[in-house]
Amino acid sequence: MSTLSGTRHLVRLILRRDRVLLPLWVLLLAVLPMTYATSFFKLFPTDAERAAYAAGTARNPSIIALLGPVYGDSVGALTAQRGGFLLVIIGLVSLLTVVRHTRTEEEAGRRELLGGTVLGRYAGLTAALLVTYGADLLLGLLTAAGLISTGLPAAGSLAYGLSAALVGIVFATVGGLTAQLTETAGGARGIAIAVLGLAFALRLVGDTASNDWPSWLSPLGWAPRIRAYADERWWVLVLPVALSVLVAAAAYPLSVRRDLGAGLLPPRVGPATAGRALSGPFGLAWRLHRGQILWWSVGFGLLGLILGGAAKAAGKSVEGNPQLEQIMARLGGTSGLAEAYLGSTLSLAGLAAAGYGIQAALRMRSEETAGRAEPLLATGIHRSGWLLSHLLFALLGPVVVLAVTGFATGLTYGFSVGDVPRELPRMIGAGLAQVPAAWVLAGLAVLLYGLLPRLAGVAWAVLAVCVLLGQLGAVLELNQWLLDLSPFTHTPQVLREHWSATPLWALAALALLMALTGLTAFRHRDVPVT
């Protein structure tokens, strides 16, 4: 039997299981750069306006730290920089996809069942990598085609698309390696995300320092140095390809030298007896969710520091451009352009926090499909208590991470304008104003889990629609009824002098209603539903 026997069948299985999720993230991430280019063409029609924008915002150290460097002031160059943070998202989605179809399958016991068939030793890892590589390459080609359709040069568009695809391929391979190291999918994800965070930190330090050598140590630093739309350096594409080959060369031997279900790193030995906190469902839920809350809070705090530091310069760069002023006013809802920028970026933080709420709510589905919920509910634990314990963290998590984001943003923005006591509470309030909208999507996830557990993942598709409406709505001037489909459209613009809390109460009530409906449905359905 060949070491790759059964790979084709596993690829088909993965494509079938991800027939909704895979096209969703590929199309979403491919469309966003095209919208950036369209907006730049519309907002900065002249060379002078683009040069002024690049001299102000695009070369601001805080923005460079978040997005990366800019090479020129053409629409293509500005678009390539604006899409810099998308590279982080592409890397994250790619590594999560590979871990899901390798280590998660082993942890759930499905890999062992498949291993009883005609399946080669390398088939599982190869199938996961092939599907993710294919998705990343498709994403890169669609991105390039979309950018070309806006009128940007073909060479630069292809360079940017390939750089994005190769970032995804690198971190997909990293996910394949970390899946061999630990016994749990959570551990594999944690190590892979830590590598991604290190790559981002190296890129950040290199791009904001006088000497950019740290950026050359990071795959996220290689992508902008291809210089899309500015004398492209095609040879840089060799670097991520070579790194992927090296990481894969390490992952494959490890995949067959360990026992099925085991990892190369020894698991941490826990205490002989459980603490009192684990005697109930809420203590167990805290144990399961505490790591996510911690790392999300750290990440959002760093993001807030960068956003607050960039706000003052971003506001100045908008002055004199009526179209951009109008769009920023719609996004941020305030006459102050810096505050309009902060309003729009905190709204994006709210969308990301909604992702945390969905992830925390769907942890119940993961526990159920992994077979851990059924024996737990066979004890004296009531279904309502078990669901409410996870729902607590689905609601509490967005509050914590958005409060941290607002605090960090207010701190750095307050220092930049010399008024920390005033700006700190205002930005915390602006961050917390996004919470009810995030709760709506978490409530939707609970509703789907209770009523139609197989479709619980649709909550991610709804979040993707909200992201598209938030990114495209103001720029493309979409109809208001379409924008109103997103709960974030109804979030009041609290940085204005006068605003109403009524929408916040309405969104919170809607989230509560959906969560209670999901709870009621869960109490009357079978467990598990597979």
Side-chain angles (χ1 to χ4, degrees):
M1 181 177 65
S2 169
T3 57
L4 296 176
S5 296
T7 301
R8 180 170 59 88
H9 298 290
L10 284 181
V11 168
R12 292 179 59 189
L13 177 61
I14 293 173
L15 291 175
R16 179 175 176 78
R17 293 184 61 196
D18 282 6
R19 61 187 179 276
V20 175
L21 187 60
L22 195 66
L24 184 66
W25 68 259
V26 168
L27 291 175
L28 175 62
L29 295 175
V31 165
L32 287 177
M34 182 176 63
T35 66
Y36 298 153
T38 302
S39 64
F40 278 126
F41 273 118
K42 182 177 180 181
L43 298 174
F44 304 109
T46 66
D47 293 339
E49 289 176 325
R50 290 193 296 272
Y53 174 82
T57 299
R59 293 192 175 93
N60 177 269
S62 297
I63 293 179
I64 291 175
L66 179 64
L67 302 178
V70 61
Y71 297 101
D73 53 21
S74 66
V75 170
L78 297 179
T79 300
Q81 188 204 33
R82 181 66 180 82
F85 196 74
L86 286 180
L87 301 177
V88 180
I89 299 175
I90 293 170
L92 178 63
V93 173
S94 297
L95 69 87
L96 291 178
T97 300
V98 172
V99 171
R100 176 172 179 259
H101 291 291
T102 51
R103 175 52 63 179
T104 301
E105 293 297 287
E106 287 192 40
E107 190 176 7
R110 290 186 289 267
R111 176 66 176 82
E112 186 174 6
L113 292 175
L114 291 172
T117 64
V118 181
L119 199 66
R121 295 180 299 170
Y122 296 149
L125 178 58
T126 302
L129 290 177
L130 284 177
V131 170
T132 311
Y133 287 175
D136 285 323
L137 289 173
L138 179 60
L139 166 63
L141 293 176
L142 290 176
T143 298
L147 292 172
I148 292 172
S149 70
T150 65
L152 293 178
S157 300
L158 184 60
Y160 177 79
L162 289 177
S163 66
L166 289 174
V167 166
I169 287 174
V170 166
F171 287 102
T173 316
V174 169
L177 175 61
T178 61
Q180 317 307 319
L181 301 180
T182 68
E183 287 188 355
T184 65
R189 285 192 294 266
I191 296 174
I193 292 173
V195 174
L196 178 63
L198 176 62
F200 180 77
L202 288 171
R203 201 276 301 157
L204 184 152
V205 171
D207 290 345
T208 55
S210 56
N211 192 328
D212 69 346
W213 67 265
S215 295
W216 286 98
L217 302 177
S218 168
L220 297 176
W222 298 335
R225 279 157 183 79
I226 294 174
R227 292 179 180 260
Y229 306 104
D231 64 343
E232 289 81 11
R233 298 174 173 177
W234 297 101
W235 63 268
V236 178
L237 295 174
V238 176
L239 298 177
V241 173
L243 180 60
S244 299
V245 171
L246 291 175
V247 175
Y252 273 95
L254 296 180
S255 69
V256 296
R257 291 179 183 174
R258 60 178 179 83
D259 292 332
L260 185 64
L264 292 179
L265 299 178
R268 186 178 62 179
V269 179
T273 58
R276 295 182 60 186
L278 291 178
S279 61
F282 288 93
L284 177 60
W286 163 247
R287 180 69 175 267
L288 294 174
H289 290 276
R290 63 185 181 182
Q292 291 182 357
I293 290 182
L294 173 63
W295 291 113
W296 277 72
S297 298
V298 170
F300 272 60
L302 294 175
L303 180 63
L305 292 175
I306 295 173
L307 295 177
K312 186 176 180 180
K316 289 184 177 180
S317 70
V318 175
E319 295 177 355
N321 189 316
Q323 289 178 306
L324 191 53
E325 286 183 11
Q326 182 181 4
I327 288 176
M328 290 295 286
R330 289 182 66 187
L331 291 172
T334 179
S335 57
L337 296 176
E339 293 178 355
Y341 164 82
L342 289 170
S344 64
T345 53
L346 287 173
S347 178
L348 291 175
L351 286 163
Y356 174 88
I358 293 173
Q359 181 184 30
L362 294 185
R363 182 60 185 261
M364 295 179 287
R365 178 61 177 164
S366 299
E367 293 293 298
E368 183 177 340
T369 55
R372 293 187 289 266
E374 187 177 12
L376 193 63
L377 295 174
T379 65
I381 295 176
H382 196 272
R383 286 191 180 202
S384 298
W386 181 75
L387 187 144
L388 287 173
S389 66
H390 288 280
L391 177 61
L392 172 65
F393 290 96
L395 300 179
L396 180 63
V399 175
V400 172
V401 297
L402 286 171
V404 170
T405 306
F407 178 85
T409 303
L411 195 63
T412 51
Y413 180 60
F415 273 120
S416 69
V417 298
D419 196 355
V420 174
R422 176 177 181 267
E423 299 302 336
L424 191 60
R426 293 179 72 234
M427 295 306 154
I428 293 176
L432 292 177
Q434 310 297 323
V435 168
W439 281 351
V440 169
L441 295 185
L444 175 63
V446 175
L447 175 65
L448 291 172
Y449 171 67
L451 286 174
L452 302 166
R454 295 188 183 91
L455 299 179
V458 171
W460 290 112
V462 176
L463 175 60
V465 171
C466 293
V467 171
L468 283 176
L469 290 176
Q471 291 287 300
L472 300 177
V475 174
L476 301 182
E477 300 178 356
L478 300 178
N479 290 330
Q480 189 60 42
W481 69 266
L482 189 59
L483 297 177
D484 288 341
L485 296 176
S486 170
F488 291 91
T489 302
H490 305 282
T491 300
Q493 300 156 346
V494 300
L495 295 179
R496 283 180 174 176
E497 292 185 4
H498 304 288
W499 58 277
S500 173
T502 302
L504 297 179
W505 291 110
L507 291 170
L510 177 60
L512 179 61
L513 177 62
M514 290 192 293
L516 291 178
T517 304
L519 171 61
T520 303
F522 175 69
R523 292 175 59 186
H524 295 91
R525 71 167 174 82
D526 293 335
V527 175
V529 174
T530 57

